[in-house]
Amino acid sequence: MEIEIIKYIQSLHSPLFDGAMWFFTYLASFYAIILFFIIFFFFASKKYSFLFLISALFNVGLNYILKILINRPRPYEVSPDISNVTNSLGKSMPSGHMVTITTIIFFLIFFLFKKLKSKLAKTILLISSILIITLVAISRMYFGQHYISDLVVGFVEALIICAVELKFEQKYNFI
């Protein structure tokens, strides 16, 4: 079933779709971690930016260890019907891009929810966040790098780690 979903997503190939998928893949890359660190540094606080960076790097490190332990091949390695559009490091599960974008979005929402007063603005932020995470997930399947289950595990991994780290930091008043 997961292979069929990837095949369908890859069938949507077009120059416009290619560009959009590259954008969303890069939005969840290591470069995005650096960009959001800088944004948080200048617009949130130094402590918050370093908490974000520590969380992001911890999640990336944990993700790398889980990839080694789980050792799941990527979809293009399993099915000749799946195109390998880009090269990725390591194995398939969990998705590192999903871990990255979930960590970024988690910290962005946490920061902005304190600033936004309007329920409408908060609702738009949440809907936009869900849309961005979904589009990153689609981009990773479009490029033949992940199954849906890889993406779900990466999302859950990042949510759990971010929530635990943030709770710990709040308890000890680091932010």
Side-chain angles (χ1 to χ4, degrees):
M1 173 84 169
E2 288 185 293
I3 292 288
E4 296 304 314
I5 292 168
I6 297 167
K7 285 169 44 179
Y8 173 75
I9 292 170
Q10 286 192 336
S11 76
L12 301 173
H13 173 72
S14 74
L16 180 63
F17 203 59
D18 287 356
M21 293 299 98
W22 279 111
F23 172 79
F24 286 105
T25 281
Y26 280 117
L27 189 60
S29 70
F30 188 74
Y31 300 112
I33 292 172
I34 302 301
L35 174 65
F36 279 92
F37 169 75
I38 293 167
I39 289 169
F40 290 139
F41 189 85
F42 287 107
F43 295 102
S45 71
K46 290 179 175 95
K47 286 182 180 180
Y48 194 76
S49 63
F50 282 105
L51 175 62
F52 163 74
L53 185 61
I54 290 165
S55 183
L57 294 176
F58 181 83
N59 273 330
V60 169
L62 176 62
N63 184 265
Y64 181 75
I65 291 167
L66 290 173
K67 282 181 181 285
I68 291 169
L69 294 173
I70 297 168
N71 200 31
R72 184 181 196 187
R74 293 190 182 270
Y76 68 85
E77 295 173 320
V78 173
S79 173
D81 297 329
I82 303 295
S83 299
N84 177 19
V85 181
T86 184
N87 292 321
S88 295
L89 299 174
K91 295 296 183 174
S92 188
M93 183 181 278
S95 167
H97 280 77
M98 190 55 56
V99 165
T100 299
I101 196 62
T102 303
T103 303
I104 290 168
I105 294 290
F106 183 94
F107 276 84
L108 193 60
I109 288 173
F110 187 81
F111 172 69
L112 290 177
F113 255 59
K114 292 179 178 180
K115 303 282 184 205
L116 298 173
K117 303 297 180 212
S118 160
K119 285 186 180 181
L120 178 60
K122 290 179 180 182
T123 302
I124 291 170
L125 175 63
L126 288 174
I127 291 169
S128 300
S129 298
I130 291 166
L131 181 62
I132 289 168
I133 289 170
T134 301
L135 289 169
V136 168
I138 290 169
S139 78
R140 301 312 293 155
M141 291 185 286
Y142 183 74
F143 292 135
Q145 302 302 304
H146 291 290
Y147 302 95
I148 288 177
S149 53
D150 301 337
L151 299 159
V152 170
V153 170
F155 176 77
V156 171
E157 170 200 338
L159 270 184
I160 291 169
I161 297 302
C162 286
V164 167
E165 289 172 347
L166 206 51
K167 197 70 173 165
F168 177 80
E169 296 297 332
Q170 285 178 321
K171 181 178 179 180
Y172 294 102
N173 298 316
F174 289 121
I175 59 171

